[in-house]
Amino acid sequence: MIALLIVYISLVAAAITDARTGRVPDKILLFGAGMTLGYLLGEARGVVLWTNGLAALAIGGGLWLVNWLWFKWKKADAFGMGDVKWTMLAALGFGPAAALVAWPLGAVFALLWMGAWRLAKKPRTQVHFAPFLCIGFTLAVGAALYTLVKAAL
């Protein structure tokens, strides 16, 4: 449980760094991945490790493919690979569902953010997406935890 908290803190730290610098730091994500692997191996959860690991690789490969196709079409990246690595860590630690739900939720919050800037007459054409992914991910994990606690009571 402590390792998953450290993974979550790693995801939040990477998102904050992206918001401040425009880059998702690999070192923080690598630390979180190491904690996740250590947790899953130490708890003898081999099946979870394999399923989450394969899901993380599939998600990363799928997002890379989308970005590659977009680049071939528009000659510009659709999103940064830091966002892809961030999502892979989220899927490895918490499973693919929360990581995948983070994208549409994050997109909604990013659009709201851009809309607010437009209303303020200072439009933004680009956002650093990891902070919005983190917000969507936090909502997805929070909703899952709320459901579990409610069912247990």
Side-chain angles (χ1 to χ4, degrees), residues 77-93:
D77 285 325
F79 41 79
M81 288 297 108
D83 299 328
V84 173
K85 292 181 271 187
W86 189 98
T87 306
M88 291 175 70
L89 176 58
L92 180 64

Side-chain angles (χ1 to χ4, degrees), residues 89-116:
L89 176 58
L92 180 64
F94 291 88
L100 290 174
V101 168
W103 277 78
L105 287 175
V108 167
F109 284 107
L111 288 171
L112 290 171
W113 176 260
M114 292 172 75

Side-chain angles (χ1 to χ4, degrees), residues 27-84:
K27 289 179 184 177
I28 292 175
L29 296 179
L30 186 59
F31 174 76
M35 292 301 296
T36 303
L37 292 173
Y39 168 73
L40 293 173
L41 289 172
E43 295 291 320
R45 297 178 185 215
V47 173
V48 173
L49 175 61
W50 278 103
T51 55
N52 284 4
L54 290 174
L57 290 174
I59 289 168
L63 289 171
W64 176 85
L65 179 62
V66 167
N67 195 53
W68 181 78
L69 291 170
W70 185 267
F71 189 84
K72 289 292 182 184
W73 180 40
K74 292 285 192 174
K75 304 297 183 226
D77 285 325
F79 41 79
M81 288 297 108
D83 299 328
V84 173

